[in-house]
Amino acid sequence: MAKRQLRNKVETLKKIVLSACLLVWSGLLSFATHADQAATSEQLLTYCVDPDWMPYESIQDGEHIGISADYVSLISQKTGLQFQLVPTTSWLESLQYLQNGKCQLSPMLNRSAERETYLHFSDVYFRSPNVLVSLKEQPFLQSIENIGTRSLAVPEGYRLSEYVKRYYPETPLVLVDNEPAGLQAVADGDADLFIGSLYSINNQIRQESLYHLKVAGWVGLEDELRFGVVISARAVIPVINQALANITEQEHIDIYQKWTRIEVIDVINYQLLWQVAGVAIVIILILTLWNYRSRSFNLKLQEKNQLLEQSQHELESAITELEFLSNHDPLTKLFNRNHFDKTMQHAQRRTAQAKGVQSLIVIDIDFFKDINDNHGHSVGDAILQELAKILLDKVREHDQVTRWGGEEFVILCPKTTAAEAQALCQRIALALTTHVFHCDIRLSCSFGVAEQNTAENLLKCFERADKALYQAKQNGRNQICLA
């Protein structure tokens, strides 16, 4: 009996000692975790930016301004990370500083194969389209595939220069220091085209009054801007990603509106104000000193006012053209892929809320390459325009027709079942059989149809419709296939 009691006491003592050890170990782990978090939050990170890339980022009077500056400030507020600017004179110098360790990160850049050798990247937090720019008298090129032998200005060190060199090696390149220099090269006739970001180009056209330039085409490659961190500091990437995820939609909108609308307009208005003030002062002085020449100077004032009014009209026209081209295909005047992507997001939210049904139709012109090869691209363009009119004529009022690219079109059909979408395809196919296109050409199309499943992402529905289109082409074309 005494032995049993002794064993029970020993077992009880073991349990107490084990519990105490577990408590101590748990405390040590908690302390280490909090210490790591405190070290991360108090870390000072040096960073470099592009010194001349407004409205995205710039250095003015030694201060970092622009969209990326506001995001750096937000990240600092949400994480406690401290950021210190390392000034540079060019984007190439900033890239060199990142490679040799003189700065630890850059807050707004694209990911590329070359940059991944020395940088780790955060999640995407800002997107923007890229466009081609030419003189106004030059024709619309629609896309980069139609550049041909024209010379293309592109900033050295930008991800776009890597892209063009890799996928369009025959294109004659004119390397420039930055986007303002590239636009000036086109304005001065040193390059036929410039490729760059739509928002920064819009900013430069307004700021420098380059109204004789226009957007001449859309580049499929979109800017997907992120934080880039050197490999030795990659431990901050999860912290930055968490902070980016915590930025509210309203905070994103406030930054976008501040730098792509309000700030740019303020700058241009101040320039016009100084121009008017300067002209007025000169005229007042001349009228005071030489009263007998008043008529001559009054005429000069009228000319200045006319130039000012003309500049304002040209500015409004350029802005309208940029806004239209950002959402429409310049050849067919249908919506473009950029607008369709945004529509897909809105439609996905509406469908999730209303629990309604909708379908997607993907259309491809059969043997369109033969038409271009045998009749030329001008005839092919005319046929694309005729087909766009047929599609708009046959769809219903609430359907949205998009030129997806080349000879491929997409129709988003809200409140539509697969059977109803198939009937729409049959109406379009029947119209094609009776229509004689440019140069007496007759053509047919292949159709892929998919109805969005319950709780299915609209992008997945599009992929199923695209696979159905592929099956229609495999079946001999001029077919309608349901996913």
Side-chain angles (χ1 to χ4, degrees):
M1 184 71 177
K3 289 182 179 180
R4 185 179 303 129
Q5 291 176 347
L6 180 60
R7 281 198 302 269
N8 290 338
K9 289 180 178 180
V10 170
E11 291 298 326
T12 301
L13 183 59
K14 285 182 179 179
K15 291 179 180 179
I16 292 172
V17 171
L18 180 60
S19 298
C21 290
L22 289 173
L23 287 172
V24 171
W25 178 249
S26 175
L28 289 173
L29 286 176
S30 177
F31 175 78
T33 301
H34 288 300
D36 286 343
Q37 292 176 346
T40 300
S41 65
E42 296 174 1
Q43 184 174 356
L44 177 65
L45 295 169
T46 57
Y47 72 98
C48 298
V49 300
D50 189 329
D52 194 7
W53 193 35
M54 288 298 287
Y56 299 108
E57 57 188 19
S58 180
I59 298 177
Q60 291 187 8
D61 299 326
E63 182 182 356
H64 175 204
I65 64 170
I67 293 172
S68 69
D70 286 358
Y71 278 104
V72 167
S73 177
L74 270 180
I75 297 300
S76 181
Q77 293 172 21
K78 294 178 183 292
T79 63
L81 291 171
Q82 301 299 312
F83 298 92
Q84 179 177 332
L85 175 67
V86 178
T88 57
T89 58
S90 69
W91 178 237
L92 276 180
E93 185 178 30
S94 295
L95 291 177
Q96 291 169 359
Y97 275 27
L98 288 167
Q99 293 178 59
N100 59 32
K102 289 185 179 180
C103 58
Q104 294 171 289
L105 66 83
S106 185
M108 199 169 212
L109 75 171
N110 285 289
R111 182 167 61 188
S112 70
E114 180 180 342
R115 293 173 185 174
E116 285 181 331
T117 60
Y118 57 93
L119 294 176
H120 281 227
F121 291 89
S122 73
D123 296 333
V124 177
Y125 68 92
F126 196 93
R127 300 176 186 271
S128 64
N130 287 298
V131 294
L132 295 170
V133 178
S134 72
L135 294 173
K136 275 196 171 181
E137 57 266 24
Q138 296 299 316
F140 281 101
L141 299 177
Q142 301 177 41
S143 67
I144 194 171
E145 286 81 3
N146 299 322
I147 288 180
T149 59
R150 296 175 178 88
S151 58
L152 178 66
V154 61
E156 189 171 5
Y158 277 33
R159 190 265 309 252
L160 284 171
S161 64
E162 296 180 36
Y163 177 78
V164 175
K165 289 176 183 177
R166 180 175 181 182
Y167 294 104
Y168 303 94
E170 301 302 322
T171 300
L173 291 183
V174 178
L175 296 178
V176 294
D177 293 334
N178 48 42
E179 288 198 336
L183 288 171
Q184 195 61 50
V186 176
D188 295 341
D190 297 329
D192 296 317
L193 298 163
F194 172 72
I195 183 173
S197 171
L198 175 62
Y199 298 138
S200 57
I201 287 171
N202 183 27
N203 176 72
Q204 286 299 315
I205 287 177
R206 294 182 178 189
Q207 205 166 34
E208 302 301 329
S209 299
L210 300 173
Y211 304 125
H212 53 300
L213 300 183
K214 71 174 183 181
V215 173
W218 200 262
V219 180
L221 183 67
E222 183 180 51
D223 281 332
E224 297 180 335
L225 300 171
R226 319 159 185 259
F227 278 72
V229 181
V230 298
I231 295 175
S232 61
R234 62 183 179 274
V236 302
I237 288 291
V239 178
I240 292 175
N241 281 340
Q242 184 60 48
L244 291 173
N246 291 335
I247 295 176
T248 66
E249 183 176 359
Q250 187 59 50
E251 287 173 325
H252 283 295
I253 292 173
D254 290 343
I255 294 174
Y256 173 83
Q257 291 182 338
K258 174 183 176 182
W259 292 104
T260 61
R261 295 181 183 177
I262 299 175
E263 185 69 12
V264 173
I265 292 174
D266 285 345
V267 171
I268 293 175
N269 284 340
Y270 280 122
Q271 285 184 336
L272 297 177
L273 178 62
W274 280 113
Q275 290 176 2
V276 174
V279 171
I281 290 171
V282 170
I283 291 174
I284 291 172
L285 289 175
I286 294 175
L287 286 174
T288 303
L289 295 174
W290 297 287
N291 188 48
Y292 64 91
R293 301 183 63 184
S294 61
R295 182 177 179 181
S296 172
F297 285 101
N298 283 331
L299 291 175
K300 290 184 178 181
L301 177 60
Q302 292 175 5
E303 291 174 358
K304 290 291 184 180
N305 288 334
Q306 289 173 357
L307 288 174
L308 178 61
E309 184 177 354
Q310 181 181 354
S311 296
Q312 290 174 335
H313 287 316
E314 290 175 344
L315 174 59
E316 292 170 358
S317 177
I319 294 172
T320 301
E321 185 176 4
L322 284 170
E323 290 176 347
F324 181 86
L325 286 172
S326 69
N327 291 302
H328 291 80
D329 171 50
L331 177 67
T332 63
K333 302 303 184 290
L334 298 176
F335 288 120
N336 61 20
R337 186 168 179 173
N338 178 59
H339 183 272
F340 181 78
D341 290 341
K342 292 186 288 188
T343 302
M344 283 182 64
Q345 297 173 8
H346 296 319
Q348 179 66 32
R349 287 195 291 269
R350 289 197 302 269
T351 302
Q353 294 169 359
K355 297 182 180 179
V357 63
Q358 60 184 346
S359 296
L360 278 172
I361 302 172
V362 183
I363 305 171
D364 187 86
I365 301 175
D366 297 331
F367 305 109
F368 185 73
K369 183 178 182 300
D370 293 342
I371 295 174
N372 278 333
D373 291 344
N374 296 329
H375 299 276
H377 288 278
S378 60
V379 174
D381 289 347
I383 287 176
L384 290 172
Q385 291 172 327
E386 290 183 61
L387 178 58
K389 292 178 181 178
I390 293 175
L391 295 178
L392 290 175
D393 180 61
K394 295 304 176 184
V395 299
R396 299 157 304 176
E397 183 177 354
H398 56 273
D399 296 334
Q400 178 180 298
V401 185
T402 298
R403 185 184 178 195
W404 185 252
E407 65 272 24
E408 197 167 12
F409 299 81
V410 178
I411 304 177
L412 175 62
C413 304
K415 300 179 181 179
T416 304
T417 64
E420 293 169 336
Q422 184 180 21
L424 173 58
C425 294
Q426 290 169 345
R427 292 197 300 272
I428 295 171
L430 179 62
L432 293 178
T433 61
T434 60
H435 186 85
V436 179
F437 287 84
H438 195 69
C439 292
D440 295 327
I441 294 174
R442 293 185 178 271
L443 57 81
S444 63
C445 291
S446 299
F447 302 82
V449 180
E451 179 180 331
Q452 186 180 13
N453 295 325
T454 304
E456 181 187 38
N457 185 284
L458 197 58
L459 179 60
K460 296 294 183 183
C461 180
F462 176 83
E463 292 174 354
R464 292 194 296 112
D466 195 52
K467 290 181 180 178
L469 170 65
Y470 178 80
Q471 186 61 49
K473 293 163 73 173
Q474 290 293 106
N475 291 345
R477 293 182 172 81
N478 195 20
Q479 304 282 328
I480 302 172
C481 280
L482 301 182

